[in-house]
Amino acid sequence: MDEQRTVTEKMLVVGMVRGSGLPGNIIVANAHAAAMQNVKLVYFTPDDVDVDNRKVNALQYIDGEFQPVVCDFPDVIENDERSLWRKDVFSAITKNAPFTMHLLGGKLTTFNRIKKSGIYQELLIPDYSINSLAEFTNAVNVFEKFVIKPMRGSQGANVSYFERTVEGFKVNHRGAISELRPTDLAAFYSEFIGDRHFLLQKYVDSRTKHGLPYDIRIHVRRGKNARWNLVKLYARIGAGNSIVSNISAGGSMAEAGVFLTAQFGRDKGRSIFNELKLLAKSFPEKFQSLYPEFMIDALGIDIGIDSEGKLWIFEVNSCPGAKFFELADAIPRMEYAIWLARDYASRQSAKS
């Protein structure tokens, strides 16, 4: 039982590690949620870890402020994507502790797994993988309207909208409108895509009555006993000439039920809202079955709705943001971290 710890004999410590930066509202909310459940949360970055001495120079929320503390490696790691990049540090702090967030593998991997499984085929938008100029120039001739986006999430950045015209394409790139002739496609590809991997996807006209882009975010997270919880169901509405509805790109948010009633009327809006709630209940477990290699802790499922009220899956994210509802997200997040730590300790004890 080298370095084995039994988390039932002392206050459990959750290590919230982020790639960089100082703690903000999300960390504060999780510190409160941890205290509500009688566990301690410490915040740190990979640079704060002393691998040789197995110590962490962390910050702990005490008496309304973050104070520096030196602690042992935590019982469970609550991580983000960027913290995974420091493989040496991450490997050390998870040698004897589980961690919460695993990467899904990018948009192409995610949608390929859904396609292969046969689940929710009616909700999938036709798309093409773009890995070369040839693939790009061939794919742009398939749809009258389409978007191209990076394979990995970038909070709505680098998404471009194309609409076929008589002379070529009308393009909206980061809110800037331009006209491209077919002979301009190579230059566009070189400047904005290059050696990066993009997805070309048929455009779904998910817009408000006032012409603003929107989608519905289904935010689900595992909580107590690793059960899935619907944290929030809300509309994300874009601004101005934006193509996407991401809040970080200048958009706004609204409660899904109220928004859908205003958009489609009471009866149809209620019907769509109920369809979304059913999807929120069924999707997490079915999607989890596509990733038997690890347990998914949270999902942000982005749903577009066309003018007829049909649902389309825009994206599935493994690390959904919780801006404006930090505490509602933090409570099940800490519940799951606690369950994960105790489950890990129990399985390790059974091995010894």
Side-chain angles (χ1 to χ4, degrees):
M1 295 177 60
D2 181 39
E3 301 174 351
Q4 178 68 38
R5 293 163 294 177
T6 55
V7 298
T8 56
E9 296 175 356
K10 63 179 182 64
M11 180 175 283
L12 188 146
V13 178
V14 178
M16 204 162 198
V17 58
R18 295 296 180 263
S20 62
L22 296 173
N25 291 341
I26 288 178
I27 312 302
V28 172
N30 279 274
H32 283 299
M36 288 165 58
Q37 297 171 70
N38 198 33
V39 301
K40 181 169 68 176
L41 181 141
V42 295
Y43 171 83
F44 59 96
T45 71
D47 289 336
D48 300 318
V49 178
D50 182 347
V51 173
D52 294 334
N53 295 308
R54 298 186 58 79
K55 296 289 183 181
V56 180
N57 298 303
L59 294 173
Q60 185 180 350
Y61 196 67
I62 303 172
D63 297 330
E65 63 180 5
F66 283 97
Q67 300 181 19
V69 295
V70 178
C71 62
D72 296 329
F73 283 3
D75 299 299
V76 57
I77 302 298
E78 213 293 328
N79 61 295
D80 69 347
E81 179 177 354
R82 290 183 62 198
S83 62
L84 291 169
W85 298 349
R86 287 287 299 276
K87 294 182 180 180
D88 55 336
V89 172
F90 199 81
S91 176
I93 60 177
T94 58
K95 181 180 179 181
N96 292 290
F99 61 96
T100 57
M101 199 280 287
H102 299 259
L103 296 178
L104 299 181
K107 296 180 181 68
L108 182 61
T109 298
T110 297
F111 280 102
N112 280 344
R113 292 200 187 201
I114 295 175
K115 290 174 184 176
K116 186 176 180 180
S117 71
I119 65 172
Y120 300 114
Q121 295 297 303
E122 72 282 2
L123 304 183
L124 293 182
I125 305 171
D127 58 38
Y128 289 86
S129 173
I130 303 300
N131 298 295
S132 68
L133 175 60
E135 289 179 342
F136 178 61
T137 54
N138 287 333
V140 297
N141 294 312
V142 177
F143 307 118
E144 290 296 315
K145 299 178 181 180
F146 58 91
V147 295
I148 61 170
K149 59 179 72 174
M151 289 293 194
R152 292 195 176 274
S154 54
Q155 295 188 317
N158 296 317
V159 177
S160 301
Y161 165 80
F162 282 67
E163 181 176 336
R164 191 182 302 281
T165 65
V166 174
E167 296 183 347
F169 301 92
K170 179 182 178 181
V171 180
N172 182 338
H173 180 69
R174 297 181 179 178
I177 310 298
S178 63
E179 297 281 343
L180 291 183
R181 295 178 181 273
T183 53
D184 299 323
L185 290 175
F188 181 92
Y189 181 90
S190 176
E191 182 175 358
F192 297 114
I193 300 178
D195 59 358
R196 292 170 294 173
H197 300 310
F198 273 64
L199 191 71
L200 187 149
Q201 193 173 66
K202 180 182 178 181
Y203 177 68
V204 172
D205 195 14
S206 182
R207 289 185 173 268
T208 68
K209 294 178 179 179
H210 302 291
L212 298 177
Y214 79 89
D215 63 20
I216 304 295
R217 164 63 64 90
I218 302 173
H219 184 118
V220 292
R221 180 176 290 283
R222 290 191 188 273
K224 189 175 182 180
N225 297 323
R227 291 194 298 265
W228 286 102
N229 294 259
L230 174 58
V231 177
K232 196 168 183 65
L233 184 62
Y234 62 101
R236 305 187 304 172
I237 305 139
N241 289 327
S242 65
I243 307 156
V244 296
S245 52
N246 199 298
I247 295 170
S248 66
S252 57
M253 61 186 291
E255 291 295 331
V258 175
F259 173 83
L260 291 169
T261 296
Q263 182 73 9
F264 292 97
R266 186 184 65 178
D267 292 342
K268 190 167 186 177
R270 182 181 299 168
S271 175
I272 296 171
F273 183 63
N274 289 335
E275 191 176 354
L276 287 164
K277 287 197 296 184
L278 289 174
L279 186 63
K281 186 174 182 179
S282 66
F283 188 91
E285 285 297 343
K286 289 184 178 180
F287 187 77
Q288 173 67 82
S289 70
L290 310 183
Y291 287 85
E293 62 268 37
F294 55 76
M295 185 174 285
I296 300 169
D297 69 316
L299 291 170
I301 309 152
D302 297 337
I303 303 296
I305 307 174
D306 64 25
S307 58
E308 301 300 317
K310 185 184 184 313
L311 306 188
W312 298 92
I313 298 175
F314 277 178
E315 289 187 24
V316 182
N317 304 284
S318 60
C319 195
K323 193 174 183 180
F324 305 123
F325 55 96
E326 292 90 346
L327 187 59
D329 179 71
I331 292 172
R333 184 187 295 221
M334 287 299 103
E335 289 176 341
Y336 176 63
I338 293 167
W339 177 87
L340 196 64
R342 290 175 176 162
D343 177 72
Y344 177 85
S346 176
R347 287 187 289 106
Q348 294 302 107
S349 178
K351 291 179 182 178
S352 60

